[in-house]
Each structure stands twice: as structure tokens, then as C-alpha cells.
Amino acid sequence: MTTEESSPRIIVRLEGHEFYYPVSDILRLFTGEIPKEEDGRVVSGAGFLSSCIPSSEKALVLVSSVSDDWIETYVEKESGEKGVWLFMDKKDLALPLNREVKRQLYFVLSRFSGKEFPWGSLTGIRPTQVARELTSEQEMTHIYDVRPDKARLAFLTQKREDAVLDGSSPESLHVYIGIPFCPSRCSYCSFISQEAPRKRELLPSYVDAVLRELYQVLPKISSPIETLYIGGGTPTVLPEVLFEKFIDGVFSHPELTGLKEVCVEAGRPDTITEAKLAVLLKHGVKRICINPQTLCDATLTRVGRKHTAQDFIGAFQMAKKMGFSIINTDLIAGLPGESSEEFCDSLRRIIALSPENITVHSLSKKRRSSLRRDEIVSSEDPELQKIEEMLSFASETLIDAGYFPYYMYKQKDTLGGHENTGYCREGTECIYNVAMMSDQRSVLSFGAGGMSKRIFPGNRIERCPCIKEPSQYIRDVELMAEKKIRFFSEP
Ligand code: SF4
């Protein structure tokens, strides 16, 4: 017998519906495993729930059933009886059916295992979107098992998101340019970014390709461009001369001057030089991101970032002195081996620098990352509890310090289903972030790995992915440009 066969599993039998994704989302939250979809069943390793399944039983079997008259979910005992059970008459159904199926499965698994998650059954949907549909925080808690402090955060954020969207035309287009290279690869990275020192010979052709794509596509686009975000990767990893060529090339395009907002990621402090910042200022760019992720040097070394906390402080102070008016800094809660005290200390020291924006991320663990599961979660509860403490501390401390949450999103692979939240000082919200995350504005992406999306009336969304591999992108950039022109011109 293989280890896989002998390990306990969780099986959810679907009856009368095919909501594989919603069911997988909830199972993944409880087990930390990626479930498989089989004929009429969703099957997962028991992962975090292993200790809840008696060693005599090979599997925990649940049934998620939808009939003409009711929706029910229950644990099926070996005797065929129903264990923990939730039932709803269809006449009382207030949610879309897929959300009710998730709500029930969350309830049953939570009562069976005694485990609860801060966002309850809200997976695969942005909390602020749900807040928009509801009348009160209490309703969110009651329906979706969301913890009251998280419901409050969702409602606060949603109001700010709406205010930003009110000031942005629904027809507007938001442009993203990606430079998927970094000085080294962080061990937790979930992006497609490659190490620039190993790809030195590729960088000039990549810049040429992006500019070619830009110049080919933009003249064919009729929607008014409102914002530009240059991200990555780390755009400032480009050597000074090439960085200047790239930035000059971008801002020589008439469509990209006089925009409402421009933001450039100068993410890694070790890539920032006075000359590169001067190039940005020459083109009127006053908003940048400098992202330490933590100010604990031991953690920075552990995750493979080749800079110190002092490098960040030096870069931040230089940028402020040179005249950048809005600087965002990112922090991550849950970096491997980092204690709550170290995270809280980083946050306090960052607040002392008074950046206009602070974004607090929760560690996400995508397959692309080189971290293995046991490096991230050695024992689930203390680790998840720790992230919870970090996020609660961040939220309270930032709000007390005069920041407010203005956009929020959740990623599937975030530990414990935690959120990422952008905080800012009054009047310094990043429109691009809200537009992008809200799924209410169209985004035109340039560069390898970018995802363009079009928002149609009635909230229909269509997406157009770009080749991820930079060398392939360079080779096929003309095809990518044509694809995007077609994507944005089709009715
Ligand atoms: S700086 Fe960001 S994009 Fe670059 S390797 Fe680290 S996490 Fe990935």
C-alpha cells in the first residue's frame, strides 16, 4: 500500500450539482491540500484535519446535496447515518446556490473539526464585493461565519474602494507594464520573476520588446487611459542606462503623458540609485513603491533577499529627500521563521518613517515558490494564530496611526485564507490598485506574464493572458500585440 493510499482522505460526494470549484475551495482551506475532482466527488488528503479522523477510518466522507426542494450537507457515518448536518429549504434560499453549498460545507467541516477561519466561508470572492451586497457587518458574520473584526475591516475598506471608483470613469483603461526580473529570487515568490544577473543578455531585448508592444498597441486603443503602473518583478533592477532608455521610451508615448496617476515599483531597495530616481522625477513620476517586506535582517537573509533593513531606510530617505510625494511600502505577515514581535517591530519602524501607503500582505504559498509546505507551516495552529496576531496588530496600529484601509484582496494560497490590505493616508490612495482588484475597470497589460482584462456592461469580464516566459515573449511580441489589439477592439 502506498503512503498516499494509507493516509486519511476527505471525500465530498456531490449530489444534484457540479460545484467542484466552490467545494474544492472550502476543502483546501481546511486541509491545506489541493483537492482532485473525480466523477461526482472532490477528494483531498486530510492535511490539517488528519488528527480529526480516527486512525481506524481511511476517509471522512461528506455529502453535499441539492435537490428540487432542499440543499443539505452532512458527514456520512459508516453506518449510513448523518453526522454533523446542515439543511435548508430552497424556499428560504437567500444566496446564489454555489455560495450556499460552500456555506454549508464550511459549517459542517468547522463544527466537525472545531476549526474556524477568520473569513469563514468567504473564499474565492473579495470580501469587499460581498460587503457591497449586504447591509451590515453583522449580516456578514451571521451568513458567512466571518469574524466580527474582519467584517468591520471589509466594510471600512469597501467604503474607501467605492470612493476611489466614484472618482474613476467606468470607461477608463488602466495600463500595466511588467518587468519580470529581480536581483535575486525571494524564497516565497509566487510571481514569474527571473533573476536578472543570470539573464543579463536578455534585458535589452526585453525592454525593446515591451516598448515595441506598447507602440504597436496603444494607437489602436480608444478608451481613455487613466493610470499607469510599472511593476514586476523589480523594474529598477535594469541597469541605469537601460532603465533610462525604458522610462524615456514609455513616457515618449503621447498616450502615456498627463495621466491621472503613475506608479513605479522600485521594490527592492538594493536596486535603487539616485540616477534611476532622477529619471523618474524627470518624467514627473512622484509615486513609487519601496518594499522591505520586513525590517528584520535575519528574515531578509532567510528568504533570499540580498539587502538589509538599513538599505531600505537609506533608499526610502533618499527618495523622500529627492521629492517623491507618495511612497508605498509592503510588509508580509508570516514570513518563515519570523516572530510576531519581529513583524510588529518592523511595522512600528515603518510607521515611524511615515510612508503615505503601507500594504500588509499575508504570506501566500503558491506552487511556484521554492518554499516547501513544512517550511511554512510546521504545525498549523500556532503558525496561523501567529499570522492572525500580526494582521490584527497591523490593522489596529495602522488605523490608530491615521492610516485607513482602502483596498483588499485574498489569494487562494494564503495561509488560513488571510487577506492582503492596502492602507493609506487621506488622499493618497492608489487608483490603479483599486481599479485592478475591483474587477470594475479594464486593464491593458504589457510585458511577459501580464493579464489584460476587459470589463463589459453587466459586469461581464474577459481576460487575455500574455506569454509568461520572457525569451518567448521577446520572440512572439508581435503576436502578443495583435492579440491585445483584437481583444480590445472586439465588440
Ligand atoms: S522582489 Fe517580489 S517579484 Fe522579485 S523575487 Fe522577490 S517576491 Fe518575487
Side-chain angles (χ1 to χ4, degrees):
M1 196 186 283
T2 64
T3 321
E4 199 170 301
E5 283 166 342
S6 58
S7 311
R9 294 181 306 157
I10 304 208
I11 298 169
V12 183
R13 230 178 37 236
L14 313 188
E15 290 179 356
H17 70 87
E18 294 188 347
F19 294 124
Y20 286 102
Y21 284 159
V23 165
S24 293
D25 263 5
I26 297 290
L27 262 192
R28 197 168 177 180
L29 182 65
F30 278 90
T31 65
E33 309 258 338
I34 299 173
K36 284 191 199 126
E37 293 160 19
E38 291 175 358
D39 220 7
R41 309 189 315 167
V42 180
V43 180
S44 168
F48 302 157
L49 291 192
S50 298
S51 59
C52 305
I53 301 177
S55 50
S56 56
E57 290 178 28
K58 289 198 198 78
L60 171 71
V61 181
L62 297 108
V63 177
S64 167
S65 172
V66 175
S67 75
D68 289 345
D69 304 317
W70 67 80
I71 305 136
E72 65 174 344
T73 306
Y74 56 89
V75 171
E76 190 177 62
K77 293 184 171 180
E78 277 196 12
S79 59
E81 288 170 32
K82 292 176 182 173
V84 186
W85 182 39
L86 191 62
F87 170 93
M88 175 174 274
D89 194 306
K90 262 195 169 164
K91 288 199 293 293
D92 302 323
L93 181 64
L95 301 179
L97 195 50
N98 61 341
R99 284 203 220 166
E100 175 61 19
V101 164
K102 277 168 80 170
R103 189 186 78 84
Q104 291 198 0
L105 184 59
Y106 178 87
F107 178 92
V108 169
L109 278 171
S110 174
R111 292 345 178 241
F112 172 82
S113 64
K115 292 183 191 303
E116 290 177 347
F117 293 90
W119 289 100
S121 66
L122 278 192
T123 62
I125 185 163
R126 294 177 65 249
T128 48
Q129 188 181 323
V130 176
R132 216 163 268 132
E133 299 165 3
L134 300 173
T135 54
S136 71
E137 298 163 23
Q138 292 73 12
E139 215 182 347
M140 182 178 260
T141 297
H142 176 69
I143 298 175
Y144 295 99
D145 265 343
V146 173
R147 229 175 44 199
D149 59 313
K150 294 295 183 191
R152 200 171 322 121
L153 184 64
F155 272 75
L156 270 179
T157 313
Q158 173 250 322
K159 286 191 181 65
R160 293 289 181 167
E161 272 187 16
D162 286 356
V164 173
L165 289 171
D166 283 349
S168 155
S169 160
E171 286 76 40
S172 63
L173 186 63
H174 299 261
V175 172
Y176 178 87
I177 305 175
I179 304 291
F181 300 98
C182 289
S184 64
R185 200 165 155 79
C186 308
S187 58
Y188 57 84
C189 183
S190 56
F191 301 107
I192 57 158
S193 195
Q194 302 189 348
E195 294 190 350
R198 291 171 192 245
K199 300 281 172 180
R200 237 179 238 120
E201 70 300 335
L202 213 63
L203 301 180
S205 356
Y206 184 82
V207 164
D208 285 345
V210 173
L211 292 176
R212 223 171 36 250
E213 197 192 7
L214 208 70
Y215 275 72
Q216 208 167 317
V217 175
L218 283 180
K220 303 278 172 37
I221 302 291
S222 54
S223 310
I225 298 171
E226 204 167 86
T227 69
L228 166 65
Y229 193 101
I230 302 180
T234 308
T236 40
V237 78
L238 299 174
E240 283 179 357
V241 173
L242 189 57
F243 183 75
E244 183 162 17
K245 178 183 172 188
F246 168 57
I247 294 294
D248 283 351
V250 169
F251 290 105
S252 301
H253 199 289
E255 301 284 343
L256 296 179
T257 49
L259 301 182
K260 203 167 183 176
E261 175 186 287
V262 178
C263 182
V264 177
E265 274 188 16
R268 295 274 282 262
D270 45 337
T271 63
I272 299 174
T273 66
E274 200 175 336
K276 291 180 198 175
L277 293 183
V279 167
L280 294 176
L281 288 173
K282 178 175 85 178
H283 291 287
V285 179
K286 292 282 191 79
R287 181 190 282 268
I288 55 172
C289 304
I290 309 177
N291 301 324
Q293 314 302 5
T294 171
L295 291 192
C296 173
D297 284 338
T299 311
L300 287 169
T301 305
R302 202 177 301 125
V303 300
R305 286 173 75 98
K306 302 203 184 311
H307 65 85
T308 61
Q310 197 48 47
D311 292 335
F312 160 73
I313 293 168
F316 183 91
Q317 288 173 336
M318 176 169 68
K320 267 284 157 209
K321 208 162 141 204
M322 288 177 73
F324 286 89
S325 52
I326 301 180
I327 302 182
N328 171 70
T329 62
D330 281 2
L331 277 181
I332 300 180
L335 284 172
E338 183 152 291
S339 66
S340 298
E341 292 70 35
E342 285 162 337
F343 173 83
C344 298
D345 177 60
S346 295
L347 181 70
R348 283 194 208 96
R349 288 164 65 197
I350 291 208
I351 291 174
L353 290 169
S354 202
E356 289 67 27
N357 295 182
I358 299 178
T359 309
V360 182
H361 295 268
S362 311
L363 185 69
S364 98
K365 166 186 71 66
K366 288 197 180 156
R367 272 163 291 167
R368 185 175 287 280
S369 157
S370 67
L371 284 175
R372 297 193 333 265
R373 161 201 291 287
D374 56 0
E375 286 175 292
I376 306 173
V377 183
S378 46
S379 79
E380 87 219 62
D381 282 341
E383 195 63 30
L384 296 181
Q385 187 58 39
K386 197 168 80 179
I387 295 178
E388 207 23 66
E389 281 170 25
M390 294 173 176
L391 292 178
S392 298
F393 176 83
S395 176
E396 282 167 26
T397 311
L398 284 163
I399 291 172
D400 280 354
Y403 292 85
F404 53 80
Y406 78 99
Y407 83 104
M408 174 194 288
Y409 64 101
K410 279 169 19 81
Q411 285 166 293
K412 258 205 175 83
D413 293 288
T414 304
L415 293 179
H418 292 302
E419 72 283 3
N420 303 310
T421 309
Y423 296 83
C424 70
R425 295 231 187 259
E426 190 74 48
T428 65
E429 300 90 339
C430 177
I431 303 169
Y432 175 85
N433 284 336
V434 177
M436 165 70 189
M437 290 301 168
S438 67
D439 277 343
Q440 294 189 38
R441 298 291 180 274
S442 297
V443 175
L444 168 55
S445 280
F446 294 99
M451 177 69 79
S452 298
K453 66 180 166 186
R454 254 184 99 181
I455 312 298
F456 292 86
N459 277 347
R460 179 165 69 89
I461 304 174
E462 295 212 355
R463 291 184 164 80
C464 174
C466 184
I467 292 170
K468 289 189 175 162
E469 176 55 43
S471 47
Q472 229 181 315
Y473 166 77
I474 293 167
R475 201 190 57 215
D476 291 337
V477 68
E478 312 287 336
L479 290 177
M480 290 299 101
E482 283 162 23
K483 182 175 161 184
K484 281 170 209 175
I485 292 168
R486 272 199 312 277
F487 179 70
F488 277 96
S489 53
E490 278 163 10

